Amino acid sequence: MKHYKKTDQSLWSGRTSSDQLYLHEKIRCIDLENHVFSSNNSKSFGLLGYACDEGVDRNQGRIGAAAGPDAIRKMLSSLSNHFKNETHIIDAGSITCDDNDLEKTQQITSQSIQKLLQHKVFPIVLGGGHDLAYAHYMGIKKQFPNKTIGVINLDAHFDLRKVIDKGTSGTPFYQISQEDDTFSYLCLGIQKASNNKELYKTADDFGVQYLENDKFTIQNKDNVQQIVLDFIAGVDLVYLTIDIDGFSSLYAPGVSASSPMGFSIDIALYTIQQICNANKLVSVDLVELNPTYDIDNTTARLAARLVYQILQQLEG
């Protein structure tokens, strides 16, 4: 199928062992289009790539995020495998955008996420631009049409720009708000310098909850925890999206829009732990990794470790 590519198993490589000591020895690549899922009660996770930066380009950002999924895979590959034998982790391939048709790419992404959810596989989607969020949300909504879905976004930006002509990496949550009157959105790490007055007004008009980056700190963790848990209590399901450009460029230089004023790793990990432990999380993505601007794979390693932490938290 156009816009889809199965991951080559050889991408997952590293030290070898006789007892699956490394993650690349555990993960199996599947063809999502033709794979027959077995029914079992084991925990199952599916990595899905969103190899697309058309939305970033439309948003006048630095392109290169389309290479993000494979960069994360490579950094995950050599990590140690401490997961249970019965836990399944699959690589479901990548949705691509080679013809600038972002809307078709998003449609196929939504269908792919819904398919994973249908088969009780927890999706962890690797971006790619943040335009992924619109497709991701709609895939969850297709699977759970009668549930209220709360979006928690770790990000420097609201991404609530109004759609002028076509969607971009700056419009996904505005698009969601126009399609779902139960839209519920919490954004953590907002930077005032990166969001104009109109975006703040849009956020206020839509009842968006947010915490600016000077309050999204480990020193303020009790308040962060309360805000997160109160938000989760008000929805049926949670979709977590992590924009890597929300981190300080000290930790994440390789992103589409870097900033030295971003949040730190400790508060992000703490928040992710709270969300995972609340038992409402149904899907996760990480976006805006741009390997073109990375330094010694620093940002890709961060993204991979975030995926690893999420897997550990959810495996239980």
Side-chain angles (χ1 to χ4, degrees), residues 36-75:
V36 178
F37 289 89
S38 58
S39 55
N40 58 67
N41 295 321
S42 300
K43 287 280 182 72
S44 296
F45 301 93
L47 303 176
L48 178 69
Y50 181 77
C52 174
D53 54 17
E54 171 65 18
V56 175
D57 192 27
R58 292 182 186 181
N59 199 35
Q60 302 176 35
R62 304 190 298 183
I63 62 170
D70 281 355
I72 299 172
R73 288 177 170 114
K74 289 176 182 177
M75 294 303 106

Side-chain angles (χ1 to χ4, degrees), residues 67-139:
D70 281 355
I72 299 172
R73 288 177 170 114
K74 289 176 182 177
M75 294 303 106
L76 273 169
S77 188
S78 61
L79 298 182
S80 296
N81 173 29
H82 291 280
F83 299 99
K84 300 170 186 174
N85 290 335
E86 59 269 26
T87 297
H88 297 285
I89 308 176
I90 60 172
D91 183 336
S94 291
I95 313 302
T96 62
C97 185
D98 301 322
D99 57 1
N100 306 117
D101 191 347
L102 174 61
E103 289 68 31
K104 184 64 175 178
T105 297
Q106 289 177 317
Q107 178 187 352
I108 295 170
T109 301
S110 292
Q111 293 167 350
S112 300
I113 290 168
Q114 182 187 19
K115 185 172 185 177
L116 291 172
L117 291 168
Q118 281 176 337
H119 293 282
K120 297 181 169 52
V121 178
F122 186 99
I124 299 179
V125 191
L126 313 175
H130 215 164
D131 39 281
L132 164 61
Y134 174 64
H136 198 157
Y137 184 95
M138 298 313 295

